[in-house]
């Protein structure tokens, strides 16, 4: 069973950068899986912000982070990254990585309900 552990969160000033990592263990990420980054604001549901299809490394982004965040996966498919630049106070949230095997229909790539394996999350706090 795939196990995911996030790291790299912290407290930064607006405009700063952070790089989140998600380490994979206990199972294998194949070349036909999806991996994604999600965030959750207090009292809100988890929302997808970036995902990657491992087969073609096709990426998907929510409009709220497009142009500022970059998702990537190392060649061994053991670590997922989220480079976050130009952070804003509204990016303050708990960030989670997740994965799921198999095909996801279009527009489901950022749907948290479609993902099977989840990490415990890492907190990102951005102050103004």
């Amino acid at each position: 069973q795939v196990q995911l552990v996030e790291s790299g969160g912290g407290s930064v000033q607006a405009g700063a950068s952070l790089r989140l990592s998600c380490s994979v263990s206990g199972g294998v990420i194949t070349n036909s899986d999806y991996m994604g980054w999600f965030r959750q604001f207090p009292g809100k549901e988890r929302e997808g912000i970036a995902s990657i299809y491992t087969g073609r490394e096709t990426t998907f982004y929510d409009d709220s982070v497009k142009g500022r965040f970059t998702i990537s996966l190392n060649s061994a498919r053991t670590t997922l990254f989220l480079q976050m630049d130009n952070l804003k106070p509204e990016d303050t949230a708990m960030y989670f990585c997740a994965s799921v095997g198999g095909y996801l229909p279009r527009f489901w790539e950022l749907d948290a309900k479609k993902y099977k394996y989840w990490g415990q999350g890492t907190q990102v706090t951005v102050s103004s």
Side-chain angles (χ1 to χ4, degrees), residues 4-42:
L4 306 172
V5 178
E6 303 93 338
S7 62
S11 297
V12 296
Q13 297 274 338
S17 298
L18 278 176
R19 189 191 198 201
L20 303 184
S21 299
C22 172
S23 297
V24 179
S25 64
V28 176
I29 300 297
T30 73
N31 62 359
S32 60
D33 292 345
Y34 288 83
M35 295 195 75
W37 287 99
F38 299 78
R39 65 185 179 187
Q40 189 168 19
F41 304 111

Side-chain angles (χ1 to χ4, degrees), residues 106-125:
R106 189 179 177 190
F107 303 126
W108 287 15
E109 302 92 350
L110 296 177
D111 187 342
K113 296 181 179 65
K114 306 306 178 185
Y115 283 74
K116 181 175 182 179
Y117 301 105
W118 290 87
Q120 294 301 306
T122 185
Q123 178 68 34
V124 172
T125 302

Side-chain angles (χ1 to χ4, degrees), residues 13-118:
Q13 297 274 338
S17 298
L18 278 176
R19 189 191 198 201
L20 303 184
S21 299
C22 172
S23 297
V24 179
S25 64
V28 176
I29 300 297
T30 73
N31 62 359
S32 60
D33 292 345
Y34 288 83
M35 295 195 75
W37 287 99
F38 299 78
R39 65 185 179 187
Q40 189 168 19
F41 304 111
K44 301 291 186 180
E45 291 190 356
R46 217 165 282 188
E47 60 181 44
I49 55 172
S51 68
I52 185 167
Y53 175 56
T54 60
R56 300 177 182 177
E57 296 197 2
T58 310
T59 56
F60 309 89
Y61 294 95
D62 184 76
D63 286 344
S64 64
V65 305
K66 198 173 292 183
R68 299 189 299 125
F69 291 10
T70 304
I71 188 171
S72 62
L73 182 66
N74 71 339
S75 58
R77 295 195 292 267
T78 57
T79 308
L80 182 73
F81 301 99
L82 184 68
Q83 177 66 39
M84 306 188 294
D85 297 320
N86 190 23
L87 281 161
K88 304 176 181 180
E90 52 264 42
D91 294 318
T92 295
M94 184 70 79
Y95 284 71
F96 299 87
C97 67
S99 70
V100 64
Y103 174 71
L104 288 178
R106 189 179 177 190
F107 303 126
W108 287 15
E109 302 92 350
L110 296 177
D111 187 342
K113 296 181 179 65
K114 306 306 178 185
Y115 283 74
K116 181 175 182 179
Y117 301 105
W118 290 87

